[in-house]
Amino acid sequence: MAAPLTVDELIDRLRRSKLVPVDKLEGFLAGLSSAGNPPADVPDLLARLVAAGMITRFHADRLAAGKYKGFVLGSYLILDQIGSGGMGQVYLAEHAAMRRLVALKVLPVTATETAEDGVARERFLREARVAATLDHPNIVRVFDLCHEGRLMYLVMEYVEGISFQALVARAGPLPVAAAVQYVRQVAFGLGHAHELGFVHRDVKPANLLLDRTGVVKILDLGLVRSEADAGAGLTKQLDHKGVLGTADYVAPEQAMDSSNVDPRADVYSLGATFYFLLTGRPLFPDGRTAQKLVWQQIKDPVPVARLRPDIPPGLAAVVHTMLQKKPADRLQSALEVFEALEPWAHDAVPPPDEALMPNPPTRSAAGRLGPSAPARATNATSQLLTAAMRSGSGVGGPSSAGGTPGSGSLAGGPRSGLSAAGASSGKVVKKPRVPPVPRTPTPDTGAVGVEETQRTPDPKPAPTARLKGPRKPAPVPEPDDAPDPAAPFAWRRLAVLAGLLVAAGMAFGGLLLLLLRGR
């Protein structure tokens, strides 16, 4: 349909779109007329509707182009487009009745009408199944898989934050303490996925979201490999003997055979991501995709310490070990990465700068919070995550809420990476095997959301709590005039002795009375 040329045409399209209830729209227009300030033209009316929170800029752009359909998908009102990729479009949406914000990942209709429709559909279904299996505070949750006509879409957790790719592009390389804390969170989430038999195969800055409280979320499970499917050959069928992953972050063995990799491939990709966070550049910033894939096999990147002289030698050794070409020479699990970074995880890291977080659409902020809604507790999510990481829950078991402890428990697993001695010397030192420690259930973080344009106008959060957890408080000394703790026990012994004497006297008196009656 042609773009509206007059205000009346725009109002007609707006009514037909059902974006705004009719009575609310009529009241808004009547208020403008009674104030003697009617809209001058189509852009003026659209700007006023956006400013009033009645529609979003996403709606305004499409209404201006003459489109008034496609704003509703099932029970959800689409508010904005927040991402796109080979596996579909991602939209910010609001449940019509519950007013809950979610992210909708929609599989393109064309993906079901081509020769590759079976692959695209199966990958989409696999992502849904894997996400349903995983339950971890550092992994984006999927709530539902829905169909609407020919469309298939996932209802996902909505994360208000920014991807590491965008964060580094805007702010440059991260402080060492912040990069360590964030990578440990990713390792914490990947450890949970690995223990359940899943390899992500696409760990990269663009697939890691940092929310306003400092919590990192892993997303995009479309390329995940499942150990359960290895016997059936499903992974090989879906991979079509191609290279899966991103050239800047793909592991050398994954570039050779994407269908036959283990968690150590994710360790390499996480190491390449760590390198990017610390230096602001990928391992090989120049060259085409084919060249980068070859360099991942034979070429070493510029040492991270040369680009960041402030990095401690021990930490540079961790990055170097994660990026070894041979899987056997790397840290062997995400758990090892988590523990290897522990010596540098003691400094408190504040939440990301609010100026780096894009503002939310007016309608999404107003619809959820309202003008008088109380502010959310600052940094509450980070504190809950800190407790989960300290207890080791969310990694060793079928779920992060009370699962059976596994060998990969963060409280003590089969591998532990670098020791404190290795941190100071720059050498990799393996700790002895220790038995796993039973875990406590992971608390629900209560996070809402996916993608870098997902955000909320919350007040400035408090500094992020340490991932290692607070130290135990020192014992409180007792005052000099405190009562003797043994005194109550002495009085108790006297009372018991007196009771025994009374009982003995009564028994003797009764016996004497019986003898007298017998005479």
Side-chain angles (χ1 to χ4, degrees):
M1 184 174 287
L5 301 177
T6 66
V7 171
D8 289 338
E9 289 183 1
L10 175 60
I11 293 174
D12 177 66
R13 308 281 172 81
L14 192 57
R15 290 194 181 105
R16 295 164 70 178
S17 71
K18 298 182 180 180
L19 284 172
V20 183
V22 176
D23 56 342
K24 189 175 181 180
L25 176 61
E26 296 296 340
F28 177 76
L29 297 174
L32 295 179
S33 298
S34 62
N37 188 24
D41 50 24
V42 170
D44 183 35
L45 178 55
L46 289 174
R48 296 190 189 192
L49 289 168
V50 171
M54 303 184 76
I55 62 174
T56 66
R57 175 51 57 186
F58 173 81
H59 299 149
D61 292 343
R62 278 151 181 75
L63 289 169
K67 300 178 181 179
Y68 63 91
K69 296 181 179 179
F71 294 120
V72 177
L73 186 57
S75 301
Y76 298 92
L77 174 65
I78 295 176
L79 301 178
D80 197 5
Q81 182 174 347
I82 55 180
S84 62
M87 289 298 293
Q89 309 293 323
V90 182
Y91 298 93
L92 170 63
E94 179 185 71
H95 193 280
M98 300 172 63
R99 306 296 296 274
R100 181 177 70 175
L101 294 181
V102 297
L104 303 182
K105 186 172 184 179
V106 183
L107 182 68
V109 175
T110 55
T112 61
E113 297 176 346
T114 65
E116 301 294 328
D117 60 338
V119 174
R121 182 184 180 88
E122 185 58 37
R123 286 198 184 284
F124 205 74
L125 291 173
R126 173 187 280 189
E127 180 176 2
R129 297 187 190 107
V130 172
T133 303
L134 302 176
D135 184 13
H136 193 277
N138 291 117
I139 301 177
V140 169
R141 291 179 170 89
V142 172
F143 302 130
D144 202 358
L145 172 64
C146 303
H147 296 264
E148 186 72 19
R150 294 185 300 166
L151 289 178
M152 180 186 299
Y153 60 96
L154 295 176
V155 182
M156 306 171 67
E157 179 185 8
Y158 169 64
V159 178
E160 297 170 346
I162 184 172
S163 72
F164 282 147
Q165 186 74 39
L167 179 64
V168 173
R170 297 179 188 180
L174 303 185
V176 173
V180 168
Q181 299 279 31
Y182 298 154
V183 170
R184 287 192 92 211
Q185 291 190 50
V186 179
F188 188 50
L190 287 176
H192 174 65
H194 292 166
E195 191 167 77
L196 295 182
F198 300 113
V199 183
H200 191 284
R201 298 198 300 180
D202 200 19
V203 177
K204 59 183 180 180
N207 283 341
L208 303 173
L209 300 180
L210 177 66
D211 74 7
R212 293 178 179 272
T213 66
V215 174
V216 182
K217 296 276 188 175
I218 304 169
L219 69 142
D220 198 350
L221 302 172
L223 299 185
V224 72
R225 176 183 184 269
S226 173
E227 292 290 344
D229 297 334
L234 179 60
T235 299
K236 289 188 176 182
Q237 296 174 21
L238 296 180
D239 291 353
H240 282 255
K241 299 182 180 180
V243 177
L244 297 183
T246 304
D248 285 322
Y249 304 96
V250 67
E253 67 273 20
Q254 186 172 331
M256 298 295 293
D257 183 3
S258 300
S259 62
N260 190 28
V261 295
D262 59 31
R264 293 174 295 183
D266 284 349
V267 170
Y268 184 94
S269 298
L270 182 56
T273 299
F274 199 4
Y275 186 98
F276 175 79
L277 297 182
L278 291 170
T279 66
R281 50 175 271 182
L283 299 177
F284 309 108
D286 302 319
R288 299 180 179 179
T289 298
Q291 292 175 309
K292 292 181 179 181
L293 291 176
V294 173
W295 291 342
Q296 296 284 15
Q297 308 288 327
I298 63 175
K299 185 178 180 180
D300 291 328
V302 177
V304 67
R306 188 181 303 174
L307 299 174
R308 282 288 296 269
D310 60 321
I311 297 177
L315 182 59
V318 175
V319 178
H320 178 74
T321 307
M322 295 174 69
L323 293 175
Q324 290 298 298
K325 304 299 183 184
K326 296 181 180 180
D329 294 336
R330 297 177 205 144
L331 297 177
Q332 297 295 292
S333 67
L335 171 62
E336 282 197 9
V337 175
F338 179 88
E339 294 184 340
L341 296 177
E342 191 273 338
W344 301 278
H346 299 283
D347 295 334
V349 176
D353 188 353
E354 284 290 325
L356 299 174
M357 298 290 176
N359 294 324
T362 305
R363 171 162 179 157
S364 66
R368 179 173 41 155
L369 298 177
S372 60
R376 186 175 61 186
T378 59
N379 214 27
T381 303
S382 297
Q383 294 171 2
L384 290 173
L385 178 58
T386 298
M389 295 180 72
R390 185 169 61 251
S391 66
S393 58
V395 174
S399 72
S400 63
T404 302
S407 61
S409 171
L410 291 180
R415 297 182 181 270
S416 56
L418 300 185
S419 67
S424 59
S425 63
K427 298 181 180 179
V428 177
V429 180
K430 296 293 180 68
K431 292 181 180 179
R433 183 185 299 268
V434 294
V437 179
R439 305 185 320 276
T440 57
T442 303
D444 189 358
T445 63
V448 284
V450 171
E451 265 295 344
E452 67 183 59
T453 51
Q454 307 169 357
R455 53 266 175 190
T456 185
D458 289 339
K460 186 77 174 181
T464 305
R466 285 175 39 200
L467 295 178
K468 185 168 179 65
R471 298 176 179 173
K472 295 182 179 180
V476 179
E478 297 182 357
D480 295 337
D481 57 349
D484 183 4
F489 297 98
W491 284 105
R492 193 176 302 168
R493 288 195 294 268
L494 291 176
V496 171
L497 182 59
L500 291 175
L501 292 175
V502 172
M506 295 179 63
F508 178 76
L511 180 60
L512 182 59
L513 182 60
L514 289 175
L515 291 175
L516 293 175
R517 288 182 178 179
R519 290 181 180 180

